[in-house]
Amino acid sequence: MSSTTKPKVYVIGVGMTKFTKPQSTGLDYPDFVKEAVTMALNDCNLKYTDIQQATVGFLYGGTCCGQRALYEVGMTGIPIYNVNNACASGSSGVYLCKQIIESGNADCVLACGFEKMLPGSLEAMSSNPDGRAIAVDKHLEVMSDTYGLFPAPMTCQMFTNAGKEHMEKYGTKREHFAKIAYKNHKHSVHNENSQFRKEFSFDEVMNARKIYDFCGLLECSPTSDGSAAAVLCSEKFLQKHPELKKQAVEIVGLELRTDFPSAFSEKSNIKMIGFDMVQAAAKDLFRNAKMSPSDVQVIECHDCFAANELITYEAIGLCPIGKAGELIDRGDNTYGGKWVINPSGGLISKGHPIGATGVAQIVELSNQLRGKCGKRQVPNCKVGMQHNIGIGGAVVVGLYRMADGGSSHHDTTKNGNSHHDNNNNNSSKPESGTLQSDAIFKEIQARAESEKDLVKNVQASFRITVTDGKTTKAWTINLKKDPPFIGESSEKVDVEINVKDEDFVQMAAGKLKPDQAFMQGKMKLKGNIAKAMKLKSILDPSMLKSKI
């Protein structure tokens, strides 16, 4: 069915909780959802019994958390879909609701999202407790092969590296990212639902504690608790409830895309964070809606980090590639400029309870289009745009208006990597001397020779450089060869690891997990991340007999 013949879909009710610091309210996720959904239903004077199907977006939680959350509102037996699409979970649920209505299978549906999070950085997406493939292993490989991996929050590294690449290619200044964060914190002062409502000076943003490289604390979205909800309906439903037409917001277009091969093949951090899928989705969105960015006045953009907002300006077509800095310097991203971007404060200041974020963007856009945003109201607001992205990856972009039509080249040996970063061609022999870990490598060699299953399951090669400060040895473990090889070699390997002798011994004894060693800065690695995870199998303490 072409976009011109699809039935129209409308947002008729919206609601959201205040976004708060994790675990600061004493409330659980069903409480958040009940509050947001009740607000959305009251907004359009409907009851939960009017809802025919529902989606619930979230990242953290077990199976059927969506049902558990909505059961606090009512138990009517309707289909409820649990949606997990990384940070685009909430908007992916809205996309599904729109398709349900367009298919004719329902006329009134609910999209909501929530998150109840833990304090600290978001690292669950890169965890690998049972050895299975992680969703972002290919993304991490791009980082490893370009700027390297460091013991800092992975998502921060991803987007900051993309920002570094943008600076190297196009001459973007570090100040441009700070200007975005300064703007969003300033916008957030007038949003009663924001987690942060303090205006920071530009110098405070620039000088805030650094999380990774140039990225400061005030340029990152915080972990948050909260929920948001939206009621969607068909044109037929709206005709039966004409009193709702004055507040109905038409979904002019909504596109969902996932990654293209270029996300990994081009070894570009900008591409890795989803530039091409965002660009493709935005082009389709504007083409199908017969609109352009110049038709838009307000944009809710996924600013998980300031670097992502800057790069998104170019991906969605607000300016030519490489010119986002000029757009920022002109002030075309705030009040008085061409667009007002993130009048809500965005994720950086409003907060980022992951499953709720995409729906909360629709809450803000709907209220902007209705003229209900008070001091942060965007003048002459006719068309709003949404951009919600999740690494892994998925992106949803959308256009909304009132129903009546109104109102550079990467350096692959960055600082922090081992002094053996180039030992793909390193044929130097290990220094003489004895290390505690020598016995462990001998046992690994014995295991590799006797345990066919170990070789079959691992199928990877490692160079592990171990040092005690005086003696350094570089061991090559190649479990792709037949027979397997453990010893000195200059051959290219899948993974390069650098670790202190005492820490390697702790890992072999089961007292320090490899992923803990990495996050604590005790182990540095470079290469294929998925294969690096298999180090656990080699260092299985139940199979190693050394008593050190």
Side-chain angles (χ1 to χ4, degrees):
M1 181 181 293
S2 68
S3 60
T4 56
T5 59
K6 288 181 180 179
K8 290 185 177 182
V9 178
Y10 302 91
V11 178
I12 53 174
V14 293
M16 65 178 288
T17 68
K18 179 178 175 60
F19 288 178
T20 61
K21 182 179 179 180
Q23 302 181 344
S24 63
T25 63
L27 301 175
D28 205 347
Y29 70 90
D31 303 310
F32 302 142
V33 172
K34 182 179 181 179
E35 180 182 349
V37 170
T38 300
M39 291 174 64
L41 290 171
N42 290 342
D43 186 38
C44 53
N45 198 28
L46 294 177
K47 298 179 180 179
Y48 188 65
T49 51
D50 294 311
I51 302 298
Q52 297 167 328
Q53 298 193 38
T55 64
V56 186
F58 59 94
L59 188 63
Y60 294 100
T63 182
C64 293
C65 281
Q67 283 89 323
R68 176 65 185 86
L70 287 177
Y71 284 173
E72 294 296 316
V73 185
M75 299 177 67
T76 57
I78 62 171
I80 297 174
Y81 307 92
N82 292 264
V83 181
N84 182 326
N85 224 7
C87 297
S89 295
S91 59
S92 295
V94 174
Y95 183 86
L96 176 57
C97 285
K98 181 173 179 285
Q99 288 192 319
I100 291 170
I101 292 173
E102 289 171 342
S103 71
N105 284 300
D107 288 305
C108 186
V109 298
L110 171 71
C112 66
F114 73 84
E115 217 67 66
K116 180 177 173 64
M117 304 181 73
L118 295 174
S121 63
L122 171 62
E123 292 306 319
M125 65 186 297
S126 58
S127 64
N128 184 39
D130 58 2
R132 73 180 67 189
I134 59 174
V136 294
D137 54 7
K138 292 183 179 294
H139 300 72
L140 296 182
E141 284 180 29
V142 173
M143 284 208 302
S144 177
D145 290 342
T146 53
Y147 291 104
L149 294 175
F150 300 91
M154 285 299 162
T155 49
C156 185
Q157 291 188 63
M158 287 179 177
F159 289 97
T160 303
N161 285 345
K164 288 167 65 176
E165 180 181 326
H166 201 278
M167 288 191 285
E168 293 168 5
K169 285 185 173 180
Y170 307 115
T172 307
K173 305 295 185 184
R174 188 264 174 277
E175 288 79 5
H176 289 126
F177 305 109
K179 285 182 179 181
I180 286 175
Y182 166 76
K183 163 188 71 76
N184 289 349
H185 285 293
K186 187 173 183 178
H187 289 178
S188 191
V189 170
H190 299 300
N191 186 354
E192 65 279 2
N193 288 321
S194 284
Q195 185 169 341
F196 301 112
R197 299 186 66 186
K198 178 181 177 180
E199 182 177 348
F200 295 91
S201 70
F202 179 74
D203 286 342
E204 285 178 307
V205 176
M206 283 287 289
N207 298 322
R209 178 171 63 87
K210 298 299 180 284
I211 305 302
Y212 167 72
D213 202 271
F214 67 79
C215 184
L217 183 64
L218 297 177
E219 295 164 84
C220 309
S221 58
T223 49
S224 315
D225 286 350
S227 178
V231 178
L232 282 66
C233 79
S234 66
E235 191 161 24
K236 182 172 67 174
F237 186 92
L238 194 60
Q239 289 172 350
K240 291 181 180 179
H241 298 79
E243 72 280 5
L244 293 175
K245 188 167 185 181
K246 65 181 183 299
Q247 69 185 60
V249 173
E250 180 188 354
I251 304 178
V252 182
L254 202 62
E255 301 288 340
L256 189 157
R257 293 291 182 275
T258 56
D259 287 309
F260 295 97
S262 56
F264 313 122
S265 64
E266 295 186 19
K267 298 299 180 183
S268 162
N269 286 268
I270 292 175
K271 297 294 185 74
M272 178 268 290
I273 64 164
F275 185 93
D276 285 352
M277 68 175 175
V278 174
Q279 185 179 56
K283 286 181 177 179
D284 287 345
L285 177 70
F286 286 118
R287 182 178 63 253
N288 292 334
K290 295 181 173 56
M291 289 184 176
S292 72
S294 62
D295 294 307
V296 175
Q297 292 79 44
V298 59
I299 302 171
E300 280 292 296
C301 176
H302 192 95
D303 60 318
C304 49
F305 298 89
N308 194 47
E309 180 170 327
L310 182 147
I311 290 168
T312 298
Y313 294 171
E314 299 171 7
I316 63 178
L318 304 188
C319 62
I321 293 176
K323 300 297 184 181
E326 296 178 15
L327 182 153
I328 294 167
D329 291 338
R330 291 194 304 269
D332 273 343
N333 58 353
T334 189
Y335 298 89
K338 193 168 184 179
W339 302 277
V340 180
I341 301 177
N342 286 329
S344 67
L347 284 61
I348 284 176
S349 197
K350 178 182 61 181
H352 185 27
I354 297 172
T357 289
V359 187
Q361 291 178 328
I362 295 173
V363 175
E364 177 69 19
L365 292 175
S366 295
N367 285 328
Q368 287 286 350
L369 291 166
R370 294 181 188 177
K372 294 177 62 177
C373 288
K375 292 183 178 179
R376 71 178 189 280
Q377 180 63 49
V378 175
N380 193 35
C381 187
K382 303 293 185 183
V383 178
M385 182 178 185
Q386 170 186 29
H387 162 266
N388 185 206
I389 190 172
I391 288 292
V395 65
V396 175
V397 291
L399 290 170
Y400 302 84
R401 67 184 173 197
M402 294 302 294
D404 59 4
S407 30
S408 126
H409 176 68
H410 307 334
D411 179 359
T412 60
T413 57
K414 294 295 176 183
N415 291 335
N417 282 324
S418 162
H419 58 282
H420 284 283
D421 277 351
N422 293 321
N423 65 9
N424 283 345
N425 298 311
N426 178 19
S427 58
S428 61
K429 294 183 179 181
E431 297 178 22
S432 61
T434 301
L435 296 173
Q436 294 184 76
S437 56
D438 289 350
I440 296 171
F441 284 102
K442 290 179 181 178
E443 285 201 36
I444 292 173
Q445 182 174 17
R447 285 190 64 199
E449 292 172 354
S450 62
E451 298 177 27
K452 293 183 178 179
D453 286 344
L454 174 67
V455 176
K456 180 179 178 181
N457 292 335
V458 174
Q459 284 294 297
S461 58
F462 305 81
R463 180 167 294 107
I464 304 177
T465 301
V466 188
T467 183
D468 64 358
K470 296 181 180 179
T471 300
T472 299
K473 293 187 178 182
W475 291 84
T476 297
I477 301 174
N478 191 337
L479 301 188
K480 297 194 293 186
K481 283 188 173 182
D482 186 16
F485 175 85
I486 291 86
E488 175 195 347
S489 172
S490 61
E491 65 189 24
K492 185 176 181 179
V493 294
D494 297 318
V495 184
E496 296 178 16
I497 294 172
N498 294 268
V499 63
K500 289 183 179 179
D501 186 47
E502 59 185 310
D503 293 329
F504 191 76
V505 171
Q506 291 290 303
M507 287 192 286
K511 297 178 182 178
L512 177 65
K513 295 181 180 179
D515 52 350
Q516 291 176 328
F518 174 73
M519 291 307 300
Q520 293 173 11
K522 295 179 178 180
M523 179 176 71
K524 296 177 181 178
L525 63 87
K526 181 180 179 182
N528 188 305
I529 304 306
K531 292 184 178 180
M533 299 295 181
K534 297 183 179 181
L535 182 63
K536 294 179 181 179
S537 299
I538 298 174
L539 293 180
D540 185 348
S542 66
M543 301 301 295
L544 294 173
K545 301 176 183 178
S546 292
K547 304 297 182 183
I548 299 174

